[in-house]
Amino acid sequence: MSSTPFTVAIDGPAAAGKGTISRAIAAHFGFAHLDTGLLYRAVGALALDGADPIEAARALLPEALEDGRLRTAEVAQAASRVAVIPEVRAALLDFQRDFARRPGGAVLDGRDICTVIYPDAEAQLFVTASAEVRAQRRWKELSGKGDDRTLEQVLEDVRIRDARDSERDAAPMKPAVGARVIDTSDMSIEEAVAAAISHVEMCRGATAT
């Protein structure tokens, strides 16, 4: 594995498949991986516990990323709410940028990695899918955990979060200019991963020449 930094930045809405694709890319190339959404989920969880979100972001400790609640729907909504606060985003910025340039390569996935966190990333992807497809995926996941919400309720949550993430003043979610867009609505996981890896391979080749 080369010690030269190489950054793969992946953005996209919830349940589009970017986490699965990010982990697959990291495993394929031997890169480190950071789900930046966990940072905001950790702050959101602390906010639910009564902490001030700005202070929580400034004092965030690595062990907060191990909180068992971080994958719950309640914390996901809390994360989306605290993510619109500019001071929260600023507090988490340096951590993410340092991770992006770690030796040996890094994959970061989130909603503003290509556009704000590290726009100079050598490989940029925007992974998306229709709201209906993403809601179906999320509903199946939640049902498997005993959550009794209906598909219609999950779809409404997805649409609310999409609107909040794309319309916020601070770093709205949108594809970066030049990013490879992968719509996974009608793709298998294998097809989506293969498309992403192919793009990263192309970018690595371009960087090496």
Side-chain angles (χ1 to χ4, degrees):
M1 181 179 68
S2 171
S3 61
T4 303
F6 183 94
T7 307
V8 181
I10 304 178
D11 293 327
K18 67 179 182 294
T20 299
I21 290 172
S22 297
R23 289 189 294 273
I25 290 173
H28 181 84
F29 293 102
F31 294 165
H33 172 244
L34 176 64
D35 174 358
T36 64
L38 281 182
L39 301 176
Y40 292 95
R41 284 173 179 259
V43 174
L46 292 168
L48 289 174
D49 291 338
D52 175 79
I54 297 172
E55 293 305 318
R58 289 172 177 166
L60 190 66
L61 298 173
E63 49 263 36
L65 302 182
E66 305 300 322
D67 190 323
R69 300 174 296 163
L70 297 191
R71 296 296 182 183
T72 65
E74 181 184 24
V75 170
Q77 289 294 337
S80 186
R81 289 193 294 272
V82 301
V84 305
I85 303 172
E87 292 86 352
V88 169
R89 306 195 72 82
L92 300 176
L93 186 61
D94 287 344
F95 180 92
Q96 296 172 81
R97 285 181 172 165
D98 288 344
F99 189 96
R101 296 318 280 171
R102 61 190 296 155
V107 183
L108 293 84
D109 69 82
R111 283 167 174 72
D112 64 345
I113 311 304
C114 301
T115 54
V116 175
I117 301 302
Y118 204 75
D120 293 329
E122 287 82 1
Q124 301 186 8
L125 294 160
F126 189 87
V127 179
T128 189
S130 70
E132 291 75 15
V133 167
R134 290 185 287 116
Q136 181 75 28
R137 293 171 181 169
R138 184 66 175 147
W139 177 69
K140 287 183 178 179
E141 178 187 351
L142 292 172
S143 296
K145 297 177 180 178
D147 194 304
D148 61 359
R149 278 179 298 167
T150 66
L151 176 58
E152 289 73 21
Q153 288 173 318
V154 176
L155 176 58
E156 180 64 15
D157 284 347
V158 166
R159 287 173 170 161
I160 289 172
R161 187 170 182 186
D162 283 354
R164 185 185 296 132
D165 289 346
S166 61
E167 296 170 7
R168 65 195 181 202
D169 292 332
M173 179 183 65
K174 61 182 179 180
V177 175
R180 167 72 189 279
V181 176
I182 298 178
D183 189 326
T184 67
S185 299
D186 299 313
M187 300 176 78
S188 68
I189 289 296
E190 293 76 17
E191 289 171 334
V193 167
I197 287 175
S198 175
H199 179 70
V200 175
E201 288 278 21
M202 182 187 71
C203 293
R204 291 186 85 198
T207 301
T209 58

